[in-house]
Amino acid sequence: MKIIGAEHSLVLAAKTAHILGAELLSAEFRSFPDGELYVRADAPAEDLVIIGSITNSDSLIQLLLLIDACEEADSLSLVIPYMGYARQDKKFRPGEPISARAVALALSQGIDRVYTINIHENTVLDHFVVPAENISIAERISDYIRSMKPGNPLILAPDEGAADFASDVASFGGFEHDHLQKIRLSGTEVNIAPKNMDANGRTVFIVDDIISTGGTLATAAGMLKEQGAAEVHAACVHGVFTNGGYARLAAAGIKSVAASDTIESGASSFSAAESISAALRGR
């Protein structure tokens, strides 16, 4: 097995190759003067794994070109650590595309198998025309939380929809968990608090698959502090942090904000490499 990384996942590809003891191949990425992208890969005709996140439209085109450049591989697997467009998984208004389907169909060409990391909705996997598997890195987040040696920790999902993910994170560390719920007090006032647990005196970790703008988490953190939480931390798989999301969380008094390296940034505090390696070993 050999590993090759797309431009936005080079560090993650290198970590995965190191864990597997696999050769890491190089590739060239650049743009022509008119904005068109150029890719060249040292891709042998062997068992090959491409690791590439879709963080914007250029990275999607780059990944499509890299797949085509590796067409001579005997076996070609694709790991998509962060799949942009996956949240556009239905028609929200008439005339809209199902963007997740369009992207999945395009990426299926020339690929034997696909792996995603904590994809927003598992139903997106059905749009690939090759076998597709979702990998969870809940255990990696749990390991990160445990490494901080928190006092009296409480794992919280930001809403009921993320409760299962919070439960998974908590189960690996033997932590208590709950989810936040909004209670409307008046036409203009809303309270956000754990549904069943008391945050008073506890070290709270709000966990989710994606942190985007961070607006809801920032509001929740302020209210949790008012409810007596000793500290509030945030951790996620995919740190998108759009529109100043990271700064918004820091300004809200969240003591630490951590994400994985599915989107490589300064907030990448734990890696998806171990989980990817385990999935690739089990093919």
Side-chain angles (χ1 to χ4, degrees):
M1 182 192 303
K2 299 182 187 296
I3 307 288
I4 191 166
E7 188 174 19
H8 296 278
S9 298
L10 293 174
V11 176
L12 179 54
K15 290 178 181 177
T16 304
H18 176 74
I19 292 168
L20 291 170
E23 182 181 352
L24 180 67
L25 304 178
S26 62
E28 179 185 354
F29 306 102
R30 57 184 173 88
S31 300
F32 291 107
D34 64 356
E36 290 184 7
L37 301 180
Y38 173 87
V39 170
R40 183 184 178 279
D42 292 329
E46 298 179 27
D47 184 9
L48 190 58
V49 177
I50 296 173
I51 299 178
S53 283
I54 301 169
T55 57
N56 53 37
S57 297
D58 274 0
S59 62
L60 171 60
I61 298 299
Q62 188 182 84
L63 193 55
L64 290 170
L65 296 178
L66 185 56
I67 291 169
D68 196 72
C70 297
E71 64 175 342
E72 293 183 3
D74 293 332
S75 172
L76 187 57
S77 297
L78 173 63
V79 179
I80 312 172
Y82 174 70
M83 183 178 167
Y85 294 95
R87 286 185 284 177
Q88 298 182 50
D89 60 333
K90 59 176 68 69
K91 290 180 182 288
F92 296 92
R93 297 172 58 196
E96 291 182 341
I98 301 177
S99 302
R101 177 178 62 191
V103 169
L105 289 173
L107 290 172
S108 296
Q109 305 306 308
I111 292 294
D112 296 297
R113 189 170 188 87
V114 171
Y115 300 87
T116 59
I117 309 292
N118 287 102
I119 199 163
H120 193 62
E121 292 290 344
N122 279 336
T123 53
V124 172
L125 301 180
D126 297 335
H127 296 310
F128 290 97
V129 296
V130 295
E133 177 184 340
N134 189 54
I135 303 166
S136 175
I137 64 166
E139 186 173 3
R140 305 284 80 81
I141 295 180
S142 184
D143 290 344
Y144 168 77
I145 293 172
R146 191 163 48 241
S147 73
M148 297 177 70
K149 298 180 171 55
N152 198 16
L154 174 62
I155 311 301
L156 289 177
D159 51 44
E160 189 173 5
D164 286 345
F165 181 66
S167 175
D168 289 344
V169 172
S171 67
F172 286 110
F175 305 128
E176 290 188 312
H177 66 91
D178 198 358
H179 70 269
L180 293 168
Q181 66 173 2
K182 294 181 181 179
I183 300 175
R184 184 161 294 281
L185 304 178
S186 68
T188 58
E189 189 177 3
V190 174
N191 184 54
I192 301 176
K195 182 177 181 181
N196 301 305
M197 309 291 290
D198 187 353
N200 185 41
R202 307 196 68 167
T203 302
V204 173
F205 291 85
I206 305 174
V207 301
D208 204 356
D209 60 339
I210 298 174
I211 296 178
S212 187
T213 65
T216 300
L217 264 65
T219 301
M223 292 188 175
L224 287 166
K225 294 289 285 185
E226 291 175 2
Q227 294 160 23
E231 295 176 358
V232 179
H233 303 260
C236 67
V237 177
H238 312 296
V240 177
F241 303 127
T242 59
N243 300 320
Y246 189 95
R248 184 175 295 109
L249 294 174
I254 294 183
K255 190 165 184 179
S256 70
V257 181
S260 80
D261 51 3
T262 58
I263 299 175
E264 295 175 354
S265 73
S268 299
S269 303
F270 45 89
S271 181
E274 286 279 2
S275 300
I276 293 171
S277 300
L280 293 175
R281 285 193 194 101
R283 288 185 306 170

